[in-house]
Amino acid sequence: MSVETTALFLDRDGTINVEAEYLSDPDRVELIPGSAEAIREANETGIRVFVITNQSGVARGLYTEADILAVHQRLEELLAARGAKLDALYYCPHHPDVGSPPYRIVCSCRKPKTGMLEQAAKTHGIDLASSFVVGDKCSDIEAGKNARCATTLVMTGYGRIERDRCRPDHIADNLYEAWHHIRGILQSRKKNA
Ligand SMILES: [Mg+2]
């Protein structure tokens, strides 16, 4: 398997940027220290980097899809300023039982479901079984497991609260440490190839 068909799937809030509870204001996007460096180093290896984020604030009527896109634009600007790039960002605006249609729906994308990972895999030719998921919630970890990815729970965001509720393959202090663990796995795969 080549590194180009391997992906790093990153949760957004509490993993890349500081958790801010239904973040909808681009001016409040703040990178967690080391996040941009982790993504930049990942970019340098050729691994694809995707954001997969549950944004039920849309279903809840707290903000719109346009707000999500504005936040994503700001996130990408902050990352670009540090030489880091995302290959694509996927979000799920749904919730199974809050709000009104069309956003109140039992969808296939809300983590721990795998719709966003599968969409990225299909569009970008990703091999999920060799890929990685990093997040601060058990829903991230379960989504990764459901898609057969290796999983890392970070201790930023909700990580410390969630830690005893699921079984990630690895626990890291933050995204930068998570990336270093994953980089080690990629290097040993390369050696054994
Ligand atoms: Mg999160």
Side-chain angles (χ1 to χ4, degrees):
M1 75 198 63
S2 85
V3 73
E4 285 76 21
T5 60
T6 302
L8 184 56
F9 290 104
L10 305 177
D11 170 52
R12 194 190 81 183
D13 302 324
T15 300
I16 299 174
N17 55 280
V18 175
E19 171 63 52
E21 298 301 328
Y22 298 110
L23 175 62
S24 62
D25 178 356
D27 291 337
R28 290 185 64 211
V29 179
E30 183 189 345
L31 293 176
I32 293 170
S35 286
E37 290 71 20
I39 294 169
R40 190 189 68 225
E41 288 183 21
N43 292 152
E44 287 164 3
T45 70
I47 194 172
R48 298 289 180 255
V49 185
F50 301 104
V51 164
I52 51 168
T53 178
N54 283 356
Q55 293 297 329
S56 71
V58 176
R60 296 171 198 273
L62 300 173
Y63 49 80
T64 66
E65 292 194 63
D67 294 324
I68 296 178
L69 297 177
V71 166
H72 286 180
Q73 189 181 342
R74 178 66 180 147
L75 179 64
E76 292 192 288
E77 285 168 6
L78 291 172
L79 291 171
R82 292 166 178 76
K85 185 180 162 300
L86 300 167
D87 286 276
L89 300 91
Y90 295 89
Y91 64 87
C92 167
H94 309 118
H95 195 281
D97 42 44
V98 176
S100 20
Y103 295 115
R104 192 188 70 216
I105 185 177
V106 179
C107 63
S108 58
C109 46
R110 181 172 164 80
K111 295 176 285 184
K113 292 186 180 175
T114 56
M116 291 187 280
L117 295 109
E118 279 160 18
Q119 184 61 51
K122 202 168 147 190
T123 306
H124 299 269
I126 299 301
D127 172 37
L128 291 174
S130 67
S131 295
F132 302 86
V133 170
V134 181
D136 69 315
K137 284 190 176 175
C138 291
S139 53
D140 301 312
I141 301 308
E142 297 307 329
K145 285 177 183 266
N146 289 338
R148 297 170 299 126
C149 300
T151 56
T152 299
L153 184 73
V154 285
M155 293 295 102
T156 48
Y158 285 98
R160 287 180 198 285
I161 298 168
E162 297 269 313
R163 152 174 219 161
D164 295 330
R165 299 178 187 162
C166 52
R167 297 209 167 276
D169 297 309
H170 183 71
I171 291 177
D173 282 345
N174 51 47
L175 179 55
Y176 192 70
E177 298 298 328
W179 162 245
H180 277 232
H181 173 75
I182 291 164
R183 189 179 62 181
I185 295 173
L186 292 173
Q187 283 166 347
S188 66
R189 278 184 192 168
K190 209 170 171 185
K191 222 177 284 170
N192 297 330

